[in-house]
Amino acid sequence: GSSSAAPVSEPSDQSAPAAETADFPVTLTDAAGRTVTLEARPETLVSGYYITTSMCIALGCEDRLVGIEAKADTRPIYALSSPELLELPGVGTAKEFDLEGCAALNPDLVILPLKLQDAADALDQLGIPALVVNPESLPELEQTLTLLGQAAGCADRAAELVACNQETEAFL
């Protein structure tokens, strides 16, 4: 069939910004090899890791964060770039993750480091999608950024950041 036929009532592309929602539902494979399916763009995010919290800021989706890792006040970048993050509830650390506190926030997506794979599985059982990431080297950082971009519905921005990062590496 021809998929090019669009309903007449469709607004012209110029008037509406590209809808990021077109990327959903999406099925991703995380750093733990787990399959994570997101039915819609997550409107509320919890980041249990400072690297992914920083990535959310870089991706421009920090306004969707409803909870972040404990000790956020020790990260000067938050105070400088997104001081409102310091008001968010903390969900613990990689050593002591607050599963109940995280679940109570009822987020659409939780992003956790590999160390917290068990917590991710527990969240899954509660019906809360959790993405496990392992951004511990440059290639893994780029993979994490891409994965996060796809999961949060800002894949284009993630691709720009990765490309920019690769140009910097090439320069170095």
Side-chain angles (χ1 to χ4, degrees), residues 157-168:
R157 176 80 184 124
E160 286 171 23
L161 290 169
V162 168
C164 176
N165 194 30
Q166 287 170 338
E167 285 172 26
T168 309

Side-chain angles (χ1 to χ4, degrees), residues 31-106:
R34 298 160 64 259
T35 300
V36 181
T37 300
L38 298 168
E39 296 301 329
R41 174 182 181 262
E43 295 305 324
T44 53
L45 307 169
V46 168
S47 170
Y49 197 30
Y50 74 95
I51 293 179
T52 50
T53 303
S54 300
M55 285 181 178
C56 285
I57 296 172
L59 289 168
C61 58
E62 74 276 10
D63 55 335
R64 287 190 265 152
L65 286 165
V66 293
I68 60 173
E69 76 283 355
K71 303 194 177 87
D73 54 349
T74 64
R75 310 273 172 204
I77 181 154
Y78 299 171
L80 292 169
S81 63
S82 304
E84 66 278 7
L85 292 183
L86 301 176
E87 309 294 318
L88 295 177
V91 293
T93 62
K95 289 189 188 118
E96 290 178 48
F97 183 69
D98 182 1
L99 187 66
E100 286 175 15
C102 179
L105 298 169
N106 202 19

Side-chain angles (χ1 to χ4, degrees), residues 142-169:
E142 291 174 0
Q143 284 166 2
T144 300
L145 199 51
T146 302
L147 191 65
L148 202 55
Q150 290 169 322
C154 34
D156 295 349
R157 176 80 184 124
E160 286 171 23
L161 290 169
V162 168
C164 176
N165 194 30
Q166 287 170 338
E167 285 172 26
T168 309
E169 284 170 49

